[in-house]
Amino acid sequence: ASYLPKGSSGLHFGIGPGRALGRLSVRWRPGVVTEYGPLAAGTRWEITESDPAPRPLPRAPARSSASVNPSGERERIVTFWERQRAAMHALKVEKDAAKAADLFEQALTLDPAHQDSRYYLATALTALGNTDGALAQYEQLIRLNERSHRGLAGWGRLRAITRRHGADLRAAEEALLKAYELNPEETGTLQTLGELALLGGGRAVAG
């Protein structure tokens, strides 16, 4: 413990995996040594020279999210758009999928429900070969908006490409059919459905 009035009186001890400190010896300034223990780990203890019994102190209040994230709604929104624009630039202009994925993830910590961030994070992850991560992002997008054409189409195409068995192919076709019903004018979905029909005898879609 510190005896200086302006200094910190808190000392931290690492005891590895132990759950308690068996014995603590304190040598006070007059040369007197007092022993304490056992002291439970993960607890703040107050030790006073004139008091032979240490006193546990209440835990410090947990840090609020505002202490680690941008404070205030306006700052959160500004920071989100900074990350989002930088991520789009990295993806579209710099062609740096890894940088883009990191920035999209940062943006999503600020606005987890932003559909553009989810979609383009899936795009970046696909470019990096992280198909499981990309599929998870498409699934999140569909949960946010079950009528998301690009979410359904993106998931369906990627599921078809990474299929492991017939059930994957059927799930991909179902997602693509939903996407086609939402936007029949998008020719890419229709083309993929035609390719699936050739692969697995899928249902034909009238053009």
Side-chain angles (χ1 to χ4, degrees):
S2 170
Y3 61 87
L4 297 174
K6 293 185 179 179
S8 171
S9 60
L11 298 177
H12 299 270
F13 299 91
I15 59 173
R19 296 185 178 181
L21 182 65
R23 185 177 65 180
L24 173 66
S25 298
V26 179
R27 182 181 297 275
W28 304 101
R29 279 197 298 168
V32 177
V33 177
T34 307
E35 292 189 350
Y36 305 92
L39 303 175
T43 304
R44 297 168 66 231
W45 294 93
E46 182 180 65
I47 296 174
T48 306
E49 184 176 0
S50 59
D51 189 347
R55 184 170 65 90
L57 297 175
R59 288 181 177 272
R63 294 173 67 192
S64 67
S65 58
S67 64
V68 293
N69 292 324
S71 58
E73 182 66 8
R74 183 178 182 279
E75 187 175 351
R76 183 190 67 81
I77 293 171
V78 169
T79 306
F80 166 81
W81 282 110
E82 287 175 351
R83 302 291 190 276
Q84 177 72 5
R85 293 188 186 103
M88 291 299 296
H89 189 271
L91 184 65
K92 300 290 189 179
V93 179
E94 299 175 41
K95 308 297 182 184
D96 188 337
K99 179 179 178 181
D102 180 61
L103 287 164
F104 282 126
E105 287 174 350
Q106 291 179 40
L108 284 165
T109 63
L110 297 164
D111 187 355
H114 199 276
Q115 296 182 39
D116 279 352
S117 295
R118 291 280 171 203
Y119 175 76
Y120 286 111
L121 175 55
T123 302
L125 292 173
T126 301
L128 292 170
N130 184 355
T131 54
D132 287 342
L135 287 168
Q137 291 304 319
Y138 284 129
E139 289 165 7
Q140 288 274 15
L141 177 55
I142 294 166
R143 278 194 285 270
L144 288 169
N145 178 10
E146 63 182 12
R147 294 179 60 81
S148 172
H149 170 271
R150 59 185 179 175
L152 290 162
W155 189 91
R157 291 192 188 101
L158 192 55
R159 181 77 288 173
I161 293 169
T162 60
R163 65 189 182 279
R164 297 182 178 91
H165 39 68
D168 287 343
L169 208 58
R170 291 190 292 274
E173 182 187 26
E174 183 178 344
L176 288 164
L177 284 169
K178 289 180 180 178
Y180 176 76
E181 290 170 1
L182 289 168
N183 186 5
E185 296 179 1
E186 207 280 304
T187 58
T189 304
L190 187 60
Q191 180 180 345
T192 307
L193 281 167
E195 293 169 355
L196 289 183
L198 292 174
L199 283 171
R203 290 167 282 177
V205 177

